[in-house]
Amino acid sequence: FENGYGRVVFDENFSADDVTSLFCSPAGVLYVLLEEGTVVQKLAGSSFQTVIAAETLPEDLQFSAVEIFVTMQEMIYLVDDNMGHGRILRINPAEPLKPVVVGQVPKEDCPDLWSMFVTEAGTIYVTDDGQRKVLAFRPGNTHPIEVLQCPDDLFPLAVLVLGSSMYVSMADDRIAPSTGGIYEYTLPPELQLE
C-alpha cells in the first residue's frame, strides 16, 4: 500500500459517495457504478472510461442500478431499481450500447432486488429483499423461477453459485445486522444441468 492506504485509481474530484457498486471481471477489468447507479465506467490503463450512461438512452431503458456483474466475455449485467422496475439488464459492449432486459419481476410483487450472480451458462441469480427470496432467470426467459424462500426473520444479502451449490448470505437487517450467516443450498435439479 502506498502511504498506508493503497494506490489511488480515481482523481481528486472523486467522491466515495459516488460509487454504488464495483466489480472485477474474470479478465481483471475493474468496473464501477457511479452517480446513483446511472453510469458504468471501467478502468482502462490508469484512467476510467465511461462504458454507458443512462441519460444517453431512451427513457424506457434508462437505469439506476444497485449491482453490477461482468462475465468472462465482458457482458455487463445490472440490477436496475429505476422507479421500482425490478429488472436485470444486459449490456454487450461489442454491440451498439443498448441494454437488453433479460429479467423482470412484476411491479405488483414490490421487488427489492439487491445482489446478483451470473453463471457461465447465463443463468442469473438475484436476491429479492422485498420478498425474502432468491430468484433465477434462465437464458432466454425474463420471468423468474423461485429458488429459495428465506426464513421469516432473515433477508438475502448476497448470492453465489458454485457447481450444484448456492451460497446465500442472510441477516436480520441489511444495514445493521445482529444475526445471520452464510448458508449453503443444493440447487434444484433443473438448475444443476448447466
Side-chain angles (χ1 to χ4, degrees):
F1 289 113
E2 296 173 15
N3 301 326
Y5 298 107
R7 182 175 65 90
V8 176
V9 293
F10 272 103
D11 65 19
E12 65 277 356
N13 297 321
F14 169 71
S15 166
D17 293 338
D18 290 341
V19 176
T20 303
S21 179
L22 56 95
F23 190 87
C24 186
S25 76
V29 179
L30 178 63
Y31 286 82
V32 294
L33 277 173
L34 298 169
E35 300 178 27
E36 298 181 357
T38 62
V39 175
V40 176
Q41 289 189 339
K42 71 177 182 177
L43 184 61
S46 61
S47 63
F48 278 87
Q49 296 176 345
T50 297
V51 175
I52 193 165
E55 66 185 17
T56 66
L57 299 170
E59 190 173 334
D60 65 325
L61 290 176
Q62 291 187 5
F63 56 87
S64 180
V66 295
E67 182 77 10
I68 185 170
F69 190 98
V70 184
T71 66
M72 181 67 84
Q73 298 78 26
E74 299 296 313
M75 296 287 251
I76 301 167
Y77 291 82
L78 302 175
V79 173
D80 178 29
D81 194 35
N82 189 23
M83 299 187 305
H85 275 295
R87 64 186 182 179
I88 309 297
L89 301 175
R90 183 182 64 220
I91 300 163
N92 183 353
E95 297 176 1
L97 291 177
K98 182 178 177 187
V100 175
V101 177
V102 292
Q104 178 87 45
V105 177
K107 275 189 175 182
E108 57 269 15
D109 289 346
C110 301
D112 186 9
L113 305 183
W114 193 253
S115 176
M116 170 178 47
F117 185 87
V118 183
T119 67
E120 288 183 28
T123 298
I124 303 161
Y125 293 84
V126 64
T127 62
D128 184 342
D129 289 1
Q131 299 182 67
R132 297 177 185 230
K133 295 180 180 180
V134 176
L135 306 172
F137 296 91
R138 304 287 308 267
N141 190 348
T142 60
H143 301 288
I145 300 166
E146 181 180 321
V147 180
L148 174 70
Q149 175 68 58
C150 297
D152 286 340
D153 58 339
L154 297 176
F155 292 93
L157 303 178
V159 62
L160 177 99
V161 174
L162 184 60
S164 62
S165 294
M166 177 177 69
Y167 299 88
V168 182
S169 171
M170 292 186 234
D172 60 345
D173 187 277
R174 183 169 34 186
I175 307 301
S178 61
T179 187
I182 298 174
Y183 301 85
E184 179 182 10
Y185 297 91
T186 300
L187 288 171
E190 65 271 15
L191 292 172
Q192 291 183 21
L193 301 175
E194 303 185 330

